[in-house]
């Protein structure tokens, strides 16, 4: 059974630290249908990087919540939708029919260190890497400390059914665009993991040394 999430409900999150999204809990929590809004949700800067059209920055309360309720915890994906070039969103879950790639689970260990958990088809193995980061709390952005790239841009933080959620923009990879490549951007809902969930993820994963 499909769960429908209306992106107009993003407004319930924006600028608040304890807002809720109205989800139907009688539906299958692992099967999502993302409903495309009538107007664009994201805008792109001169470098082609998106931000939420109504929430380019977090409120003061949201910035504090970022450090209190986001940093120090693991975060697993519930759904991801691709952001179109015009700032609208695709209606299907990005990873639903995608071969050769999967979503990343995040452990924001500290404000300086991010662990990313993922599956490597080529080995195959459950792996993770460790990335030094800096956090721009005003924009909710977790930057790679060694570059200008970011892993997550959090534009909303809130609770639903006693679980913390974050809505974030994340780079999903590269796509050929003629003779060049362009970044594919996604909007992802991440739910905070329990200590037990995070421990299981850590136990099943091996450290993979990468440049990212």
């Amino acid at each position: 059974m499909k769960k429908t999430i209306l992106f107009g409900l993003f407004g319930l999150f924006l600028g608040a630290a304890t807002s809720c999204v109205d989800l139907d809990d009688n539906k299958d929590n692992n099967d999502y249908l993302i409903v495309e809004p009538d107007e664009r949700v994201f805008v792109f800067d001169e470098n082609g990087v998106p931000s939420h059209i109504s929430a380019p920055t977090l409120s003061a309360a949201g910035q504090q919540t970022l450090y209190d309720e986001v940093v120090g915890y693991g975060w697993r994906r519930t759904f991801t939708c691709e952001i179109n070039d015009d700032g609208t969103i695709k209606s299907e879950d990005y990873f639903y029919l995608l071969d050769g790639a999967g979503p990343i689970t995040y452990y924001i260990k500290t404000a300086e260190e991010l662990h990313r958990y993922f599956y490597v088809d080529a080995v195959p193995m459950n792996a993770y890497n460790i990335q030094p980061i800096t956090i721009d709390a005003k924009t909710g952005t977790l930057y790679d400390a060694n570059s200008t790239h970011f892993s997550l841009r959090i534009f909303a933080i809130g609770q639903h059914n006693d679980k913390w959620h974050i809505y974030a923009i994340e780079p999903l990879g590269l796509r050929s665009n003629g003779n060049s490549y362009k970044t594919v951007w996604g909007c992802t809902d991440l739910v905070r993991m329990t200590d037990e969930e995070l421990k299981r993820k850590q136990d099943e994963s091996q450290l993979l040394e990468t440049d990212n």
Side-chain angles (χ1 to χ4, degrees), residues 95 97-102 119-122:
F95 291 103
L97 296 176
L98 187 66
D99 291 326
Y119 184 74
V120 181
D121 281 332

Side-chain angles (χ1 to χ4, degrees), residues 82-190:
E82 183 178 340
I83 301 172
N84 296 315
D85 291 340
D86 62 358
T88 60
I89 53 176
K90 293 190 182 300
S91 58
E92 68 273 12
D93 186 295
Y94 177 78
F95 291 103
Y96 183 62
L97 296 176
L98 187 66
D99 291 326
I104 295 173
T105 296
Y106 298 93
Y107 173 35
I108 309 172
K109 185 175 182 178
T110 68
E112 293 80 35
E113 185 173 303
L114 174 68
H115 295 195
R116 303 188 302 176
Y117 296 84
F118 47 89
Y119 184 74
V120 181
D121 281 332
V123 178
M125 63 181 285
N126 292 309
Y128 76 99
N129 61 18
I130 299 174
Q131 181 184 68
I133 59 170
T134 59
I135 295 180
D136 179 349
K138 186 174 182 180
T139 62
T141 306
L142 280 61
Y143 285 101
D144 183 336
N146 299 319
S147 73
T148 59
H149 301 295
F150 68 80
S151 293
L152 291 172
R153 174 167 288 172
I154 300 166
F155 62 85
I157 308 168
Q159 285 183 294
H160 174 67
N161 283 354
D162 298 323
K163 292 184 178 181
W164 283 97
H165 289 253
I166 55 178
Y167 282 80
I169 297 163
E170 63 175 334
L172 301 176
L174 296 175
R175 179 178 293 152
S176 176
N177 187 20
N179 295 324
S180 62
Y181 289 88
K182 60 171 290 186
T183 301
V184 179
W185 296 99
C187 173
T188 296
D189 172 37
L190 297 158

Side-chain angles (χ1 to χ4, degrees), residues 18-74:
T18 57
S19 301
C20 296
V21 168
D22 184 13
L23 301 181
D24 181 353
D25 297 305
N26 294 319
K27 303 292 183 64
D28 182 351
N29 288 329
N30 296 313
D31 198 4
Y32 290 89
L33 174 65
I34 312 306
V35 179
E36 191 169 6
D38 295 330
E39 57 186 4
R40 63 178 180 168
V41 183
F42 300 95
V43 292
F44 292 84
D45 65 17
E46 63 276 9
N47 297 314
V49 179
S51 60
H52 195 281
I53 194 169
S54 300
T57 60
L58 290 175
S59 66
Q63 293 176 49
Q64 186 60 52
T65 303
L66 174 64
Y67 288 108
D68 292 344
E69 303 294 347
V70 178
V71 174
Y73 296 95

